[in-house]
Amino acid sequence: MHGEYKIPGGKLVVVDLDDQDGVLRNVRVAGDFFLEPDEALAAIDQALEGASSDTDTAGLSARIEAALPEGTAMYGITAEGVAVCVRRALTRATDWTDYEWQLIHEPPQSPALHMALDEVLTAQVATGRRAPTLRVWEWDSPAVIIGSFQSLRNEVDPEGAARHGVTVVRRISGGGAMFVEAENTITYSLSVPASLVSGLSFADSYAYLDDWVLNALGDMGIRAWYVPLNDIASKEGKIAGAAQKRVTADEGAVLHHVTMSYNIDAEKMLDVLRIGKEKMSDKGTRSAKKRVDPLRRQTGLPRGEVIDRMIRSFRSRYGLAEGRVTEEEMARAEELALTKYSSEEWTARVP
């Protein structure tokens, strides 16, 4: 069995092993990490040899840490990262490069249709009828997107939303509220087979699926990092927030979507989001004129250019063919946008 795991913020770990009657045998760990002394690598292999194949990540990590020689220095590798790689090998996880990725980047669409497209496209990936997909969103109107389990009345000021022409929709993933405007945010979705994150904990899957965009930001001169559970930040503060939804039908799939702040109008956001007032106050940013603009300020690039560079970065790493929403997918999404995502029953399902 073979497993690979790029440790977020670190290096690639590769594990080859056999599972013989429920026991790990012939374990060999390799990768482009740095490790001192040399004997530490053999100690890691030996620590894993003979372990039960159903040992979880924590148990495997403990075995490795207990076996490391005193004074071991690890750079770009961690005991947990090796353990995750072992679990990925055992569960026959796939890798980014195992797929022919598709890009969907279409003209502006309504908030309700975006919610529906996420559901439809991810379900298609779960059945194998669609290749793993990167979808970049364009908005035809300002919106607040609340998490699946958030209280509508606690999150949104209806008068503020009406005053600014903001549509309120509820998504299928958890997490917090997002305030978006057409030219001031960058939103994208990854609809991926469940096997891509096989062997990863829920928290680790966030870091794993965000790693490509950290590299893309790095290519633009922004040193960004993952902040558990679902944020991307730089020295200037939070850049983006992510959310996920697991689809368990058929082969399974994961929806991972991210909203990035390009140049948000904080005054408007605070007038629409109730929770935002408290959060922003805690950060000392109650100035009505303040804008939240980490990507615009740190890159100095137009929004469209930032998106283009992100797409090029993804394509250079994993390949990315131009794709489209099929007629069948769009028909289903339009139906869901009308009957589900535009309905009061769904939007106010947690009042």
Side-chain angles (χ1 to χ4, degrees):
M1 295 178 176
H2 179 84
E4 297 187 6
Y5 179 52
K6 167 66 167 58
I7 297 176
K11 297 293 186 176
L12 179 68
V13 176
V14 180
V15 173
D16 291 285
L17 56 82
D18 295 322
D19 181 357
Q20 297 181 358
D21 299 321
V23 176
L24 304 188
R25 297 298 185 195
N26 305 315
V27 181
R28 293 293 180 267
V29 175
D32 60 356
F33 47 79
F34 302 92
L35 183 63
E36 295 289 348
D38 284 351
E39 293 76 21
L41 184 60
I44 292 173
D45 291 345
Q46 192 58 41
L48 295 168
E49 191 76 20
S52 171
S53 59
D54 61 5
T55 306
D56 63 13
T57 299
L60 294 171
S61 297
R63 289 176 69 104
I64 294 168
E65 290 171 353
L68 290 173
E70 185 175 354
T72 295
M74 307 174 79
Y75 302 98
I77 178 177
T78 63
E80 181 182 12
V82 175
V84 167
C85 193
V86 170
R87 294 305 313 164
R88 285 177 62 75
L90 289 166
T91 57
R92 302 186 185 277
T94 53
D95 184 71
W96 295 87
T97 55
D98 291 333
Y99 300 105
E100 296 182 359
W101 291 85
Q102 281 198 5
L103 169 69
I104 293 176
H105 188 190
E106 299 189 336
Q109 293 160 324
S110 72
L113 186 57
H114 278 306
M115 303 303 107
L117 283 169
D118 262 1
E119 179 175 340
V120 170
L121 297 182
T122 306
Q124 289 287 89
V125 172
T127 64
R129 290 194 290 265
R130 161 167 287 280
T133 299
L134 167 65
R135 183 171 73 92
V136 180
W137 305 20
E138 298 292 350
W139 300 89
D140 72 358
S141 59
V144 166
I145 303 94
I146 60 175
S148 181
F149 311 109
Q150 288 188 296
S151 162
L152 177 61
R153 70 165 65 98
N154 287 347
E155 299 300 324
V156 181
D157 182 329
E159 294 180 358
R163 189 159 42 248
H164 296 291
V166 171
T167 301
V168 181
V169 290
R170 184 184 296 275
R171 62 182 185 269
I172 57 174
S173 61
M178 308 184 307
F179 174 77
V180 301
E181 294 180 291
E183 296 302 318
N184 292 338
T185 51
I186 296 172
T187 307
Y188 68 85
S189 299
L190 287 169
S191 295
V192 306
S195 59
L196 184 62
V197 296
S198 182
L200 301 180
S201 69
F202 190 76
D204 286 341
S205 71
Y206 273 86
Y208 185 69
L209 294 176
D210 280 339
D211 195 57
W212 77 272
V213 82
L214 300 185
N215 289 317
L217 291 170
D219 294 342
M220 288 181 270
I222 299 178
R223 182 180 175 273
W225 53 85
Y226 166 72
V227 180
L229 171 68
N230 60 336
D231 288 347
I232 296 171
S234 73
K235 61 183 178 63
E236 300 294 331
K238 180 176 175 178
I239 292 175
Q244 285 187 7
K245 176 66 176 178
R246 306 295 174 104
V247 177
T248 57
D250 299 294
E251 296 300 314
V254 177
L255 168 66
H256 180 91
H257 43 200
V258 174
T259 291
M260 312 176 77
S261 175
Y262 178 75
N263 188 24
I264 298 292
D265 185 331
E267 178 182 14
K268 189 181 298 184
M269 180 174 67
L270 294 178
D271 201 32
V272 174
L273 292 180
R274 285 185 168 141
I275 195 69
K277 294 180 175 65
E278 180 179 346
K279 285 187 176 180
M280 297 295 279
S281 176
D282 289 345
K283 293 177 172 60
T285 54
R286 288 188 63 88
S287 169
K289 301 300 181 184
K290 183 176 178 61
R291 300 187 72 87
V292 184
D293 61 347
L295 286 180
R296 183 184 67 84
R297 184 172 65 255
Q298 292 182 67
T299 65
L301 297 171
R303 174 182 174 275
E305 178 64 19
V306 173
I307 292 173
D308 288 345
R309 292 195 184 195
M310 288 171 57
I311 291 171
R312 289 201 299 270
S313 180
F314 190 104
R315 181 176 285 123
S316 70
R317 287 175 168 85
Y318 310 123
L320 189 63
E322 297 293 329
R324 65 178 183 85
V325 179
T326 68
E327 291 183 3
E328 179 184 358
E329 290 168 339
M330 183 57 76
R332 175 59 178 152
E334 288 175 342
E335 178 187 5
L336 280 176
L338 179 63
T339 61
K340 178 177 180 178
Y341 291 103
S342 297
S343 72
E344 183 69 15
E345 180 182 8
W346 170 258
T347 305
R349 76 184 189 100
V350 183

